[in-house]
Amino acid sequence: MRTSRKWLEQYVDLHDLTLSELAKKITDAGLEVESCKPLSAGTHLVIGEILTCEDHPDSDHLHVTTVNVGDEILSIVCGAPNVAAGQKVIVARAGAVLPGGEIKAGKIRGQESNGMICALFELGVDPHMLTDEQKAGIEILPEDAPVGYTDPLGYLGYDDEILEIGLTPNRSDCQAQFNLGTEVGAIFEREVVLPQFENASDCGAATNLTISSTTEQCPLFLGKVIGSVTIKESPKWMQELLRAAGMHSINNVVDISNIVMLETGQPMHFYDIDAIKNQEITVKNGFEEEYTALDGETYQLEKEDIVITNEGKPIGIAGIMGGDDSKILETTKGLIIECASFDHVSIRNTARRLNLSTESSLRYQKGIEPLAPKKAMDRAVQLLIEYADAKEIEETVQWGVIDETQRVLSCTPQEINNRLGTQFALEEIVSVFERLHFDPIVEGEVITVTIPSYRMDMEGMADLSEEVIRILGYDKLPSTLPFMPMTEGKLNKEQQLIRKTEELLCDKGLQQCVTYTLISSAKKDNAILGSENAIELASPMSEERRWIRTSILPSLIGVAAYNEAHGIKNSSLYEISEVSSKDWIKNHLAIVLNGELEQTRWLHESLPSDFYTLKGLIEMYMDKIGINKNRIFFKENKKDILHFHPYRSAEVYIGKDLVGIMGEIHPVYAKENDVKNIVMAELDLDLIGGVKKSKIKFAPVSKYPSVERDLAFVVDRSLPVEKITEIIKRHGRDKETKETILQNVEVFDIYEGEHVADHEKSVAISLEFQSNAHTLTDAQINRVFESILDSLEKDCQAVLRK
């Protein structure tokens, strides 16, 4: 944000402050002044008139001049190509100190030179603010410039001091010079006098102007017809303020639109009335065509860009730049004023894509107060009447509703002081709110304030406290030690689970990843165990970082795709991260396996990253954190068959609670993400952490021999093997001795094919029997074995293969 002493002094008396004092106080109040410098500089300057100008006898480009500076005539050698007799110029006498050094009297190639005829860039004026003609030679003053006047920079309006202020994102209101002036007045506790222009645009006869918007990205649009204006040079004060803001003066009408934008923070656009057919303006989007803007460049419009149109044809890129075919010319006789509110995210995206950063787009991107369009319209009409002879004014046309709701907040001195650790009196706090134009009302100890519309950052007690301390001064905060309660130096249960998870998965060869929490709409829509109520950022940096994720897997799949694209065939990845929605905040664990988990090339051994490897990894993890394998269930996946293969994935349950989904990626989803056949899982760590864990028990290895028996039987092909193993485990107890002797059940073969009916399959299972108290007898083993066979035949219609 750029401002100047002259601009601020229009509203606040600052005559007794140096530039450094002004900058320090503004910075101390939270608006950091990044640089402060004079607009121009130079001592011993005077306005002179060139009496004679002759070529230097010993040079092909120098000139010998005589210059009248009022009290004497100086001989000066000048090398500027545009120097000529009769010109009024700026002269630096001998002894003058300029930004480039000191000017001394002497001889140049044998000719006396007692000073220098100056160009503006030699006096410290920013070359970007000068024309090519000004940069090529000396500055030629108007014919009526007073010879001998010792403040030529003041005569030209360059006697100003510039402040560059770095605004924090919450103080976009200070983009408006009116608001910045109010802020400076509050900081120095001085009266602020702003121009009176309220309701200046309410005048006008009936109009034929029609305005509308077909996009939600333009909620408010004001338009007004000024039937007659006079195009001429702007007044000197207006040119000087524009120069201080880093802008060129063009003519009075264009300059008024720029001054109003700088004063109120609200961009607006003036159209030549003859260029707007049928006086109709509509805000739209959905265009895909080339468009030539005011700068003469051609830009490619996209569907999402907001465009100002007339009879269906673009006449401006909304919030950024108007069109070349409707600009104000010397021949312009009347105007149509456009002043609107636009969606700041859309403006930012368009400006970034077109690489078109303007004063208008910068203000829209940072946020503009709701009442700014009406203020800007009022101020523009006032200035047009005064400086452009505006006549034939028609009534203002409005599309949409202006939000005039005012925020009201309350606080007490005790609340303020408790937050700040101070002892400010009621009167001091009320004084701050009065200086900020918050209109405080005191009832007992309660202070009620009405927040001005431009202070959109004021939301609650914390903001009121901040205003008090920054205006009264941070140096008034007492030096105190912070209150730091003692805490036990250990991990809480959630941290312990995360730490244990990291250790277990790293031990198995998985690599931990950290991916972005902010994701694109596509990743948001492909959430696993996610939520439809995802949180959207108000001001996303880009479309790729618009949403806070509710699932980790879409991001982790992207890592696997990157690795695969770079020739890394084996990827074993996991990530633990917090995921959020409008309804909850949780910790999730995501796993992605690709290629082989383990490989020993010397022994020709490998462990493929398939469904069963991932399932075993999850079972191992659950067992290690104290969840008994009997409590873990893998059921057919019916929750998500868009991202997971419908026949090679499973839902993971602990008891009756669904804690995750695992399995192969769906081929279509894999193709969309440029990956091959990966297996993946996402688990709810908060649910897993909330499960009551079994205590780890240690038992000695049985000293008695074990007995293994294998059996194979035929069952219906649709019967899950899990049901078979459950029945076997349920009948592993000897009914006579009441002792459980079945220690392990392992499926080692499933056969479908020859000698087995098409609708059947053969399942082979190994059973291990053992006692911790004695050697088992054949009778005991046979009783349990027969019980198992009977149950399988009854519950599963299993037929023993012989």
Side-chain angles (χ1 to χ4, degrees), residues 454-497:
Y454 56 84
R455 288 303 301 272
M456 297 179 292
D457 59 310
M458 299 299 299
E459 295 181 352
M461 260 296 303
D463 300 308
L464 293 177
S465 303
E466 181 184 4
E467 295 303 294
V468 170
I469 194 58
R470 73 181 188 84
I471 296 299
L472 293 180
Y474 290 102
D475 56 342
K476 294 188 178 181
L477 285 172
S479 297
T480 57
L481 290 174
F483 175 69
M484 298 177 66
M486 296 293 291
T487 56
E488 191 175 358
K490 68 175 186 179
L491 303 177
N492 59 32
K493 289 185 177 180
E494 179 183 299
Q495 293 167 332
Q496 288 174 353
L497 177 62

Side-chain angles (χ1 to χ4, degrees), residues 205-361:
T207 184
N208 293 321
L209 176 65
T210 58
I211 60 174
S212 62
S213 172
T214 62
T215 171
E216 295 179 355
Q217 295 166 319
C218 175
L220 177 66
F221 194 159
L222 302 180
K224 195 174 188 70
V225 172
I226 308 293
S228 173
V229 291
T230 301
I231 306 296
K232 54 187 176 181
E233 187 179 19
S234 295
K236 188 170 183 289
W237 69 266
M238 195 176 293
Q239 294 183 38
E240 291 179 3
L241 294 186
L242 287 173
R243 183 187 301 134
M247 303 175 72
H248 291 285
S249 174
I250 298 174
N251 58 53
N252 59 333
V253 172
V254 175
D255 289 355
I256 285 171
S257 70
N258 288 328
I259 281 289
V260 171
M261 176 185 69
L262 295 170
E263 288 180 334
T264 66
Q266 170 66 53
M268 62 192 323
H269 194 75
F270 293 171
Y271 296 99
D272 188 321
I273 193 170
D274 293 333
I276 308 301
K277 298 177 182 178
N278 297 323
Q279 295 191 6
E280 176 271 333
I281 300 177
T282 305
V283 184
K284 297 181 178 181
N285 50 18
F287 286 84
E288 287 186 289
E289 59 184 74
E290 289 187 341
Y291 179 68
T292 302
L294 197 57
D295 59 358
E297 297 292 329
T298 300
Y299 299 96
Q300 178 63 43
L301 299 177
E302 301 293 345
K303 287 184 177 181
E304 62 271 15
D305 298 332
I306 315 173
V307 179
I308 312 297
T309 69
N310 171 231
E311 293 190 331
K313 296 181 179 180
I315 57 172
I317 306 172
I320 301 177
M321 187 175 288
D324 187 56
D325 51 358
S326 60
K327 65 183 179 182
I328 303 301
L329 303 171
E330 295 297 324
T331 56
T332 296
K333 297 294 187 289
L335 312 172
I336 292 181
I337 302 175
E338 166 233 309
C339 193
S341 296
F342 298 115
D343 175 60
H344 63 282
V345 176
S346 178
I347 298 296
R348 177 169 57 251
N349 292 341
T350 299
R352 182 184 292 118
R353 182 176 55 78
L354 298 179
N355 193 26
L356 187 57
S357 179
T358 63
E359 291 288 341
S360 174
S361 67

Side-chain angles (χ1 to χ4, degrees), residues 177-189:
Q177 295 289 347
F178 287 161
N179 298 339
L180 183 60
T182 302
E183 180 75 13
V184 171
I187 292 170
F188 290 96
E189 200 172 357

Side-chain angles (χ1 to χ4, degrees), residues 698-712:
F698 296 91
V701 177
S702 177
K703 60 184 179 181
Y704 301 101
S706 63
V707 176
E708 289 189 8
R709 289 195 181 180
D710 296 342
L711 61 95

Side-chain angles (χ1 to χ4, degrees), residues 20 32 90 126 152 161 191 235 243 266 274 303 328 391 400 417 433 443 463 502 575 584 595 667 705 713 716 778:
S20 60
E32 182 183 3
I90 302 173
D126 186 351
E161 295 168 322
E191 182 182 7
R243 183 187 301 134
Q266 170 66 53
D274 293 333
K303 287 184 177 181
I328 303 301
K391 298 180 180 63
N417 287 320
F433 295 151
E443 296 178 349
D463 300 308
E502 291 172 343
E575 180 174 4
W584 44 253
F713 43 84
D716 188 273
D778 288 342

Side-chain angles (χ1 to χ4, degrees), residues 655-722:
K656 295 182 180 180
D657 296 325
L658 174 67
V659 298
I661 305 176
M662 58 135 315
E664 285 188 15
I665 190 170
H666 195 288
V668 175
Y669 187 48
K671 187 175 182 180
E672 291 174 358
N673 286 274
D674 295 323
V675 293
K676 294 182 181 177
N677 189 26
I678 65 172
V679 290
M680 58 188 190
E682 183 146 349
L683 305 175
D684 188 331
L685 271 189
D686 284 356
L687 276 178
I688 294 172
V691 172
K692 187 175 181 181
K693 309 297 189 299
S694 304
K695 290 184 179 181
I696 299 176
K697 297 179 181 179
F698 296 91
V701 177
S702 177
K703 60 184 179 181
Y704 301 101
S706 63
V707 176
E708 289 189 8
R709 289 195 181 180
D710 296 342
L711 61 95
F713 43 84
V714 177
V715 295
D716 188 273
R717 184 174 290 192
S718 63
L719 182 71
V721 175
E722 183 182 38

